[in-house]
Amino acid sequence: MSEFRIHHQVSELFLLLGIRSDAAERHTEHLRDSAERSDSGQESAASAVHFLAESAPDRQAFLTKYNELKSRNVRDLDHLVVLLSGLVQDPGIRQAVEGRSRQRLEEDGLSLTTVPSVLADLEQATQTTLSRDQLNELRERLLRESQVSHVPSEAVQSMERAAEECRARHLGPPTPEWVDTRPYLSLDFVKGEKRQEGGVLGNIASTSQEHQLIEDVLYVMMGIEGTYITVQLPAKHYDPPQFTVDMSVEPSLRTLVSRILPLAGHYSQLTRFVESRSRYHYGLVNHALSAAITSLLKDYMLLVTQLEGLHQRWALTLHKLYFYVEKTMAVMDMLASVTKVISKSDAHGGAVLSLLHDRTTNLTGCGQLQDVMLFLSQSAAVPYMDMLTKWLKRGIINDPYHEFMVVDRESGNEEEEEEDPADDYWEKRYTTVPENIPSFLQHHTTVILRTGKYLNVIRQSDKSVVCPDPGVLVYGLCTRSYGELIEKTYNFASQRILQLLMEEKDLMGRLRSIKHYFLLDQGDFIVQFMSLCEEELTKNIDDVLPTRLESLLELALRTSAANSDPYKDDIECDLQPITLMNQMLRILSIETEDECEYYPQEERLQLTGLEGFSLGYKVTWPLSLVLDKKTIACYQMIFRHLFYCKHVERLLCRVWVSNKVAKSFPLSASRTYTAAFALRQRMLNFIQNIEYYMMFEVIEHNWQTFINKMQKVDNVDDVLAFHNDFLSGCLKDCMLTSPELLRIISKLTSICVSFANFIEDSPDPAATTHEDSQSFEQTISRFELQFSGMIYTLMERILEMGRDSYNDALVNVIYRLDLNMYYTKKHEHLKLVGSPEASVEVNSGPLSSECDEAAHDA
């Protein structure tokens, strides 16, 4: 994630929390350092949990919640606790959040001392006798503060059913009502059902007691309540039922029965899991898992049937019964524990497969138990692997229950996609869902996502392309089996889409064409265009005719060397309603108190065509993957910066041409213009050095680096990353990402424009008086002091930035602008003589208002 994006998200977080903080950079660095420490293992999750538990108001409650989440296999839980530990240890963040929390509680009429005061009242209530009114008041206060009340298990189950019905309405067909209204359709214990009561079992012989108990045990093993073994159903659907044996039975027999009864509880849990998870809205993975468990339960019922046959022949005792079911109990216990975790965490899709995979790997060396878990994992993974095969083969998502690791953010039929998708297609349309990524596919997530995205683009561009069959993807403990198939499809998709973009769509030719125009690589074109459009662009932006600009742009393209460019017809004119500085500040999303001054309400009324003009570019699919609107906007910002600098250079060159007549002036008049000529040359030198620096030392250098990287590229994501690095480097080194530097540059260009207009509007020396000459010299002197002060401020700010983060390209500007340390020596001289102009600030100066007005008039 880029630094600007992290900074933007930190600012948004502070805004949501209602925190006003100017230290976003520090918090950003803290978050990045915490993530690095977590990834590198420098800070363990155990120490973070210990620190948070010690800092929590209720240590045991925190540890209980952490263990509960850990049992659910919540993804990235350890990273989260490490991050929270870092945030808690930062006093600045704690104070900011606590301050906002206190403010919100006060807005709701509460305070941070409310809970302690309630606890104190409770303690007092236990020590003294309160009246009924006082008790009612305390009760209302508790309810008001906690906003929770005790609800019985029936209400909990009713709420769970309502939640299931709500989810079922969104996923899959609705479940028929008769499924819930006909309890005897279930193979589990039926609530309220009681068998005919028998006599006191303890009054008969022990042999008869054992025979009757075996019959009841066989009943409860099949989900039917016995005569002398009663069942109490659990409050939560994932817990086992409780069994009670007649107390009159001999203790030895009752002990043997108690050792067998957990098997009946496991059967009840599994039956309840199968019947609930077989409903539509739980997804295909749960359906497949339920079907696999059902096949195992059939074997279990076969065992019960065999035991019943022995019992009817009086060949079965409790000791033999326990011996026969002992191995089955271990398997059923394992299955019940797995289903309980799945039900408790409400897992579905990839989360279920992750749980099954972790259990399977943990049972290495356990023989039969691992074989059973492997069978469940392979069976449950079949529908998920079918989805994965379609994604890897055609780039299509067939996921009706939202179980797959990749989600399509767009609605609609995938077979009828738009011809020209949105510009954020690549980043936002297809994304991964972390909780749906199986742990055994974690290392292949990026490759899987890219493969499907590549195939989707290929399918939209050329439907005749046939992807090689990835084969049958089957779950296994060894990831090599499907890892090789995934790599095979990825290599095909990557090479095919690169071929599509680089050869058929000529991506590099497009980028070179954009460089010609937006980065002023085609010199004669921009000169021709500025000569043709200067009169039109000097108007107010609302008075500029776009159709006339388009005609002049086409004329400039046809009459320059750009006529040989095959993509010149995709260039178009674009008039921006805001200045370059405000555009950059809005993109950077600066959240400061001074932000309002960058958003003048009547900005458009004062904007000229030169300040709002930019080029546009028509991009078709699939080139819009690389040249989306955000990318074109970056090119436009660089172009606007260079274009206005070229305009200022033209104004100063025009002053130089008009000053040629000074050779015919008398000696006394020529001396009047000497300081103006020298200042003009320094301004021209400044603007030309800035242009040279941006166009050659920044843009051309970054372009060559980009070209070298593109020669070794092997996938589209690297193309996007390298192109983004190129643009980011250009924006940063061209001083567009620093609001302060951009503002200084804008002020310097305004001074140059104001100076050029002043010189051109000056009267002829032959018609001026002595007082006019003195006024002229004083104005030039103020221009010179303002310009020199701003130059020194620019260099000083660049040096400060160089100390914070050294940048070779940016520091080179100082050596170009301050040749032979001219401005440094001049500034030192002004400080020695005590001139009030020695330290010129960015927002002040005798010519600030004149410069701004002159810049708009230009």
Side-chain angles (χ1 to χ4, degrees), residues 592-805:
T592 62
E593 297 179 356
D594 299 330
E595 181 184 4
C596 58
E597 67 178 283
Y598 302 129
Y599 294 79
Q601 297 180 355
E602 300 181 356
E603 178 184 354
R604 186 179 178 90
L605 300 177
Q606 303 174 359
L607 200 65
T608 63
L610 281 165
E611 294 172 310
F613 176 76
S614 180
L615 293 177
Y617 198 79
K618 293 179 288 186
V619 186
T620 58
W621 177 259
L623 290 173
S624 56
L625 288 175
V626 181
L627 299 173
D628 56 10
K629 288 184 178 179
K630 294 180 182 177
T631 303
I632 296 298
C634 292
Y635 277 111
Q636 287 179 330
M637 288 183 285
I638 299 175
F639 170 80
R640 294 179 69 183
H641 195 35
L642 294 174
F643 183 76
Y644 196 76
C645 288
K646 280 289 183 183
H647 164 65
V648 175
E649 182 186 8
R650 284 173 59 87
L651 290 179
L652 294 174
C653 289
R654 187 181 303 165
V655 172
W656 178 81
V657 172
S658 64
N659 289 159
K660 290 297 182 181
V661 299
K663 294 181 180 180
S664 61
F665 293 165
L667 182 59
S668 58
S670 299
R671 290 176 178 173
T672 304
Y673 278 81
T674 301
F677 294 163
L679 179 58
R680 178 212 62 211
Q681 190 58 39
R682 288 200 298 273
M683 289 182 173
L684 191 59
N685 181 71
F686 158 75
I687 203 70
Q688 288 176 343
N689 275 301
I690 287 293
E691 290 175 352
Y692 179 87
Y693 160 75
M694 291 189 294
M695 297 175 64
F696 290 94
E697 295 188 6
V698 174
I699 295 175
E700 196 61 34
H701 172 73
N702 286 319
W703 175 260
Q704 291 302 322
T705 303
F706 170 66
I707 293 296
N708 294 335
K709 290 182 179 179
M710 288 296 293
Q711 293 175 354
K712 304 175 184 178
V713 72
D714 57 359
N715 61 73
V716 176
D717 288 271
D718 286 345
V719 173
L720 297 175
F722 295 157
H723 190 234
N724 182 67
D725 291 343
F726 164 70
L727 285 178
S728 299
C730 291
L731 287 170
K732 182 178 180 181
D733 293 340
C734 287
M735 297 175 283
L736 289 174
T737 58
S738 173
E740 188 172 355
L741 291 182
L742 181 60
R743 192 169 185 179
I744 296 174
I745 294 291
S746 300
K747 185 66 68 174
L748 282 167
T749 55
S750 298
I751 295 173
C752 294
V753 171
S754 180
F755 170 80
N757 291 337
F758 173 76
I759 294 297
E760 288 197 346
D761 295 339
S762 298
D764 192 294
T768 58
T769 63
H770 178 68
E771 290 77 9
D772 294 335
S773 298
Q774 287 184 337
S775 177
F776 177 85
E777 292 175 356
Q778 292 174 358
T779 303
I780 295 299
S781 177
R782 290 201 301 271
F783 272 119
E784 198 276 336
L785 288 171
Q786 181 81 358
F787 181 76
S788 299
M790 293 300 296
I791 288 284
Y792 186 81
T793 303
L794 174 63
M795 296 188 300
E796 198 173 45
R797 180 57 188 143
I798 292 176
L799 284 174
E800 291 177 1
M801 295 180 64
R803 286 192 290 268
D804 297 336
S805 56

Side-chain angles (χ1 to χ4, degrees), residues 391 394-397 408 410-422 425 429-430 452-453 455-461 463 621:
W391 174 251
R394 297 193 61 196
I396 293 177
I397 298 177
D408 186 357
E410 286 190 2
S411 59
N413 188 1
E414 295 208 45
E415 298 292 342
E416 300 177 358
E417 288 154 341
E418 297 180 0
E419 184 177 352
D420 187 12
Y425 170 89
R429 175 165 183 180
Y430 293 113
K453 287 163 68 174
L455 292 174
N456 197 279
V457 175
I458 295 171
R459 183 167 52 86
Q460 294 181 49
S461 304
K463 297 184 181 294
W621 177 259

Side-chain angles (χ1 to χ4, degrees), residues 114-172:
T114 303
V115 175
S117 65
V118 173
L119 295 177
D121 290 346
L122 285 174
E123 184 178 358
Q124 180 182 3
T126 59
Q127 298 176 357
T128 60
T129 303
L130 300 180
S131 64
R132 181 175 297 274
D133 294 338
Q134 290 174 327
L135 289 174
N136 290 335
E137 182 181 356
L138 182 59
R139 176 178 176 274
E140 292 176 359
R141 187 178 180 190
L142 283 171
L143 292 177
R144 184 174 64 253
E145 300 296 342
S146 64
Q147 294 296 314
V148 295
S149 60
H150 176 71
V151 289
S153 60
E154 293 79 3
V156 173
Q157 295 175 357
S158 176
M159 293 168 63
E160 290 178 350
R161 287 196 298 270
E164 286 189 11
E165 293 175 359
C166 180
R167 181 169 53 184
R169 285 196 295 269
H170 293 87
L171 296 175

Side-chain angles (χ1 to χ4, degrees), residues 466-481:
V466 179
C467 179
D469 190 355
V472 180
L473 294 175
V474 181
Y475 168 80
L477 290 177
C478 180
T479 60
R480 183 180 302 175
S481 57

